[in-house]
């Protein structure tokens, strides 16, 4: 059994859906871990919403925005009298530059505070989008909202201060790891893909995110382990093989060393 993926077509054929948050709204805090194939944008004007994203809890408070990217495994934790908006958007409606901003934002993923002017702008745009959700102007309103989110994220993007070449390598490396980590865990594989030496790749990662190449790869594969252990009904040995570990003992040792808990104990926290 795999982690379920919710599709944008379940919300709207146009690839754009909106939901107004009110204090009496029922948020699915008991919904199992899942991922979406679309972007989710949230503006919270009152209340509090906490959500577990890839096993890290993030809390949106009054005057915060947040964004989840396609593929991130998540689950609502707590919801306290929220007011605001949520918008669900197919990635085809994001321009290339905004898409790059969202991908950089995914390196930190923390909610961001916004000022009163932008809050009011977003409130008005969300309200207009809700009123015209079936009109030809739907995409225009959605893109205007995304532009404001991207503007705030870009201003808070720690990678903006990086050497442009370093930032380019970092973002491409992150993408490659996401695509290949279950089959390739050697730094040399990624260095070759990037046409640089392993030493230079390691130097860039250490300088930009504070982790060596091996450490980042290890964190990425352990995250995959957590996802499967938390949701899959396969045996731990089967999960080990699925993630490219023929030696279950090594799989278990790596997980325990990295997380401080055995795979079976971690799984027990998510399975009754």
């Amino acid at each position: 059994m795999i982690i379920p993926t919710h599709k944008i077509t379940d919300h709207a054929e146009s690839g754009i859906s909106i939901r107004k948050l009110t204090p009496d709204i029922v948020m699915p805090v008991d919904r199992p871990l899942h991922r979406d194939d679309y972007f989710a944008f949230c503006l919270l004007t009152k209340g509090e919403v906490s959500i577990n994203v890839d096993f890290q809890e993030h809390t949106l408070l009054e005057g915060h925005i947040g964004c989840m990217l396609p593929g991130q495994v998540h689950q609502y934790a707590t919801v306290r009298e929220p007011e605001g908006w949520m918008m669900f958007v197919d990635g085809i409606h994001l321009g290339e530059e905004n898409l790059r901003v969202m991908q950089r934002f995914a390196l930190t993923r923390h909610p961001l505070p916004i000022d009163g002017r932008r809050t009011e702008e977003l409130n008005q745009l969300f309200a207009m989008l809700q009123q015209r959700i079936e009109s030809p102007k739907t995409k225009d309103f959605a893109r205007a909202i995304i532009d404001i989110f991207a503007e705030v994220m870009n201003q808070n993007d720690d990678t903006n201060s990086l050497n442009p070449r370093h930032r380019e390598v970092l973002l491409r490396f992150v993408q490659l790891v996401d695509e290949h980590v279950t089959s390739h865990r050697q730094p040399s594989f990624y260095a070759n893909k990037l046409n640089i030496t392993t030493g230079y790749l390691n130097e860039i990662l250490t300088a930009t995110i504070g982790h060596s190449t091996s450490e980042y790869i290890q964190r990425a594969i352990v995250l995959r382990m957590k996802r499967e252990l938390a949701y899959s009904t396969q045996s731990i040995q089967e999960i080990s093989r699925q993630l490219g570990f023929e030696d279950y003992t090594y799989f278990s040792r790596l997980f325990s060393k990295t997380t401080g808990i055995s795979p079976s104990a971690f799984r027990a926290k998510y399975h009754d």
Side-chain angles (χ1 to χ4, degrees):
M1 186 174 184
I2 60 174
I3 298 171
T5 298
H6 297 172
K7 300 182 181 299
I8 188 62
T9 49
D10 296 336
H11 294 275
E13 291 185 4
S14 66
I16 300 171
S17 178
I18 189 168
R19 184 179 192 186
K20 187 171 185 178
L21 303 180
T22 58
D24 59 346
I25 196 169
V26 177
M27 300 285 277
V29 293
D30 57 346
R31 178 181 291 177
L33 290 165
H34 64 281
R35 52 164 60 99
D36 303 321
D37 73 349
Y38 50 84
F39 288 82
F41 298 91
C42 181
L43 165 69
L44 201 66
T45 56
K46 288 186 180 179
E48 177 181 331
V49 174
S50 293
I51 186 168
N52 290 313
V53 182
D54 284 332
F55 306 97
Q56 293 185 19
E57 185 166 309
H58 301 275
T59 300
L60 276 79
L61 301 172
E62 179 178 332
H64 279 73
I65 61 170
C67 172
M68 278 191 299
L69 275 63
Q72 291 183 320
V73 177
H74 59 278
Q75 182 181 45
Y76 290 102
T78 57
V79 178
R80 296 189 178 92
E81 300 186 331
E83 293 186 29
W85 299 90
M86 291 193 73
M87 180 176 71
F88 312 107
V89 181
D90 192 315
I92 63 173
H93 297 302
L94 276 73
E96 287 189 13
E97 181 55 37
N98 283 345
L99 184 59
R100 284 193 289 269
V101 172
M102 302 302 161
Q103 290 170 338
R104 294 198 298 270
F105 176 73
L107 293 173
T108 54
R109 296 189 296 233
H110 54 79
L112 295 171
I114 60 171
D115 57 38
R117 176 182 63 83
R118 286 197 181 99
T119 299
E120 183 57 31
E121 288 178 353
L122 284 173
N123 257 324
Q124 292 179 9
L125 286 168
F126 276 122
M128 288 188 285
L129 174 61
Q130 185 181 48
Q131 293 168 6
R132 297 166 176 82
I133 194 64
E134 299 297 337
S135 81
K137 293 290 186 181
T138 298
K139 295 177 184 177
D140 294 334
F141 286 115
R143 286 169 180 161
I145 291 168
I146 293 168
D147 283 344
I148 295 176
F149 272 74
E151 179 183 346
V152 175
M153 291 173 182
N154 200 41
Q155 290 175 348
N156 288 271
D157 182 4
D158 293 337
T159 69
N160 280 332
S161 60
L162 299 179
N163 174 301
R165 172 59 175 159
H166 286 189
R167 184 169 74 168
E168 178 187 350
V169 170
L170 170 63
L171 297 176
R172 179 60 179 145
F173 168 76
V174 169
Q175 181 183 5
L176 286 170
V177 171
D178 186 58
E179 293 172 357
H180 300 288
V181 72
T182 58
S183 55
H184 297 281
R185 292 188 287 276
Q186 294 299 320
S188 59
F189 171 84
Y190 299 97
N192 290 337
K193 284 282 188 181
L194 294 164
N195 295 313
I196 58 178
T197 67
T198 53
Y200 185 44
L201 176 58
N202 199 61
E203 177 185 324
I204 289 175
L205 292 181
T206 303
T208 55
I209 60 175
H211 296 290
S212 69
T213 310
S214 295
E215 287 171 340
Y216 185 91
I217 295 169
Q218 179 174 289
R219 287 158 62 96
I221 193 63
V222 168
L223 176 57
R224 298 287 182 95
M225 293 175 179
K226 286 181 175 180
R227 288 174 174 175
E228 295 301 323
L229 290 168
Y231 193 84
S232 174
T233 56
Q234 292 180 306
S235 70
I236 298 178
Q237 287 84 355
E238 288 172 327
I239 292 172
S240 172
R241 288 193 294 272
Q242 177 182 313
L243 294 178
F245 293 87
E246 294 301 326
D247 184 351
Y248 166 71
T249 302
Y250 176 67
F251 171 94
S252 181
R253 187 168 63 246
L254 174 61
F255 187 89
S256 300
K257 180 181 178 181
T258 307
T259 65
I261 186 173
S262 70
S264 56
F266 179 85
R267 162 168 272 192
K269 296 196 300 181
Y270 293 89
H271 292 251
D272 294 329

